Amino acid sequence: MDKKILNQIASQMVSESKGILAMDESHGTCEKRFNALGITVNEENRRSYRDMLVTAESLPKYISGAILFDETIKQKISEGTNFPDFLNKIGILPGIKVDTGAKPFSCHENEKITEGLDNLPQRMEEYKSLGAKFAKWRAVITIADNIPSSACMIANSHALARYASICQEFDIVPIVEPEVLMDGSHDIHKCFNVTNTMQSILFEELDKLDVVNSGIILKPNMITSGANCEVQSDTNEIAELTVKCLGNNVPKDVPGIAFLSGGQSDEDASNNLNEINKLNNNPWKVTFSYGRALQLEAMKKWNGDNNNNLEAQKIISKRSYLNSLAASGKYELSMENQ
Ligand code: 13P
């Protein structure tokens, strides 16, 4: 492990108000998104859709890294270059999702444990040889009656720490993602309490396994009301509680925090990130690592037809630009219509 290399990569991932494009949907998730739009699900469509995303002309101005799926890191863009080589050439760091998904957690109904530690060192070696500079592992925590259990938060945090340690052995920066889902009718205070507990357990586990803070990126949820909660919090409360939670738990030597969008609308994801940046006076950079809130409108415009590439690329470029402004507190809702 080379701490200097890890810190250089992690710092680059969150520098210049750039953010990370999460384009690492598993086959199942990609199928769900394509099906919803009536796009034919096959390998070539997954490849050409992602080709459209990464070849959007102004992307490298706003995006520092792109998280790829196992299939994509081994594919080529249309001009014949491998995805990771192309990304490196245009100044975007290639990353790779390495967890194998959230599976039912033994003896804990309705809870999930993320798997993927088996053979991880061997897979990491392969991904490194393919050009990956960072990786991602997502733990999923659900809020409902009597859950999450401590057991679920401890097991997922321990797995995240094992994963992060293996990444660092290979000088690959781990994105550590403890996602507390927005699903449910809980209020924002419940979300705060669960996220606060999860992040506290997570940083304890990372510390126990000697994971180097200066060589990780945290990818958390924002603190919001549940999607079905009758009272939806405003952006000021979201920003205030999110910064408070991070301030309680994230060590100061973590270089950056890159939020997931979690099902928020494009505008909410940008606006909330903007308010969080206005409030944050901790040393870590605070940016985005969005999937849906960067891609969904572009995917709709593309619609399985490469003749729509230019129009779809305008949309992904615009969302990347607006989120990059939000990563420095310079976004305004009125910009959406310009
Ligand atoms: P969303 O921004 O769509 O939540 O996805 C981010 C991600 O990478 C989830 O693992």
Side-chain angles (χ1 to χ4, degrees):
M1 179 192 33
D2 186 328
K3 291 184 188 176
K4 210 168 136 204
I5 291 180
L6 286 167
N7 182 247
Q8 268 169 4
I9 297 170
S11 303
Q12 195 181 334
M13 288 165 72
V14 292
S15 66
E16 302 172 62
S17 303
K18 291 184 187 180
I20 297 159
L21 168 60
M23 45 179 284
D24 59 325
E25 297 81 8
S26 62
H27 288 332
T29 304
C30 200
E31 181 171 348
K32 214 164 65 186
R33 307 254 153 89
F34 277 12
N35 277 341
L37 298 171
I39 299 169
T40 308
V41 181
N42 58 37
E43 181 176 346
E44 176 49 22
N45 266 354
R46 288 191 295 266
R47 191 207 63 75
S48 55
Y49 168 67
R50 287 161 167 159
D51 183 333
M52 178 280 288
L53 291 178
V54 301
T55 54
E57 212 178 320
S58 55
L59 212 64
K61 283 202 260 178
Y62 316 116
I63 297 292
S64 58
I67 317 173
L68 307 175
F69 186 60
D70 178 74
E71 177 182 79
T72 322
I73 201 169
K74 296 166 183 166
Q75 286 173 325
K76 292 179 173 23
I77 63 160
S78 298
E79 67 158 46
T81 318
N82 293 324
F83 270 82
D85 294 343
F86 175 76
L87 288 168
N88 270 320
K89 196 175 77 187
I90 62 172
I92 293 181
L93 295 166
I96 179 75
K97 169 192 173 77
V98 300
D99 68 71
T100 55
K103 308 284 160 63
F105 182 36
S106 51
C107 304
H108 291 80
E109 214 180 329
N110 300 324
E111 295 196 279
K112 300 234 164 109
I113 177 77
T114 299
E115 294 188 350
L117 289 169
D118 287 351
N119 304 322
L120 189 53
Q122 290 85 337
R123 288 196 288 132
M124 206 61 89
E125 204 166 350
E126 185 192 8
Y127 291 139
K128 192 178 164 115
S129 74
L130 291 169
K133 297 285 191 282
F134 68 94
K136 175 188 118 171
W137 178 290
R138 170 176 174 256
V140 181
I141 305 297
T142 306
I143 299 179
D145 290 347
N146 304 317
I147 61 170
S149 62
S150 297
C152 181
M153 292 189 280
I154 292 167
N156 273 295
S157 295
H158 184 72
L160 276 164
R162 289 267 286 116
Y163 140 81
S165 165
I166 293 167
C167 285
Q168 291 193 335
E169 166 91 15
F170 288 88
D171 297 330
I172 287 186
V173 169
I175 291 185
V176 175
E177 181 175 4
E179 176 172 9
V180 178
L181 294 178
M182 279 178 79
D183 302 353
S185 52
H186 54 274
D187 67 11
I188 192 167
H189 302 289
K190 179 77 184 179
C191 177
F192 176 88
N193 288 336
V194 171
T195 306
N196 195 52
T197 306
M198 179 62 192
Q199 288 183 7
S200 157
I201 295 171
L202 171 65
F203 281 101
E204 252 174 56
E205 291 296 319
L206 292 170
D207 186 50
K208 280 186 203 157
L209 296 203
D210 300 324
V211 172
V212 177
N213 289 332
S214 60
I216 70 166
I217 297 293
L218 177 69
K219 177 162 173 168
N221 52 288
M222 294 179 190
I223 307 295
T224 62
S225 319
N228 299 323
C229 179
E230 281 174 14
V231 186
Q232 288 295 318
S233 311
D234 64 21
T235 188
N236 293 327
E237 193 174 21
I238 290 171
E240 196 182 307
L241 290 180
T242 302
V243 172
K244 183 174 169 192
C245 181
L246 296 171
N248 286 349
N249 298 298
V250 185
K252 303 293 182 222
D253 49 349
V254 169
I257 293 169
F259 288 102
L260 57 95
S261 60
Q264 298 182 65
S265 70
D266 293 358
E267 292 180 14
D268 284 352
S270 300
N271 200 32
N272 291 335
L273 176 63
N274 192 61
E275 286 305 313
I276 289 167
N277 266 295
K278 286 206 262 177
L279 272 190
N280 177 45
N281 49 24
N282 292 284
W284 2 268
K285 294 272 177 38
V286 178
T287 187
F288 59 96
S289 174
Y290 295 160
R292 283 164 286 181
L294 278 174
Q295 287 187 49
L296 273 193
E297 289 304 314
M299 187 187 284
K300 275 187 206 162
K301 177 60 78 179
W302 175 69
N303 200 30
D305 182 351
N306 293 335
N307 290 320
N308 298 329
N309 277 7
L310 271 181
E311 288 303 308
Q313 287 175 330
K314 279 186 202 159
I315 298 175
I316 180 81
S317 298
K318 179 174 177 184
R319 289 257 56 87
S320 304
Y321 165 65
L322 292 177
N323 283 309
S324 170
L325 287 177
S328 55
K330 293 182 186 145
Y331 165 87
E332 284 170 30
L333 274 171
S334 60
M335 294 169 170
E336 292 289 344
N337 303 320
Q338 287 162 15

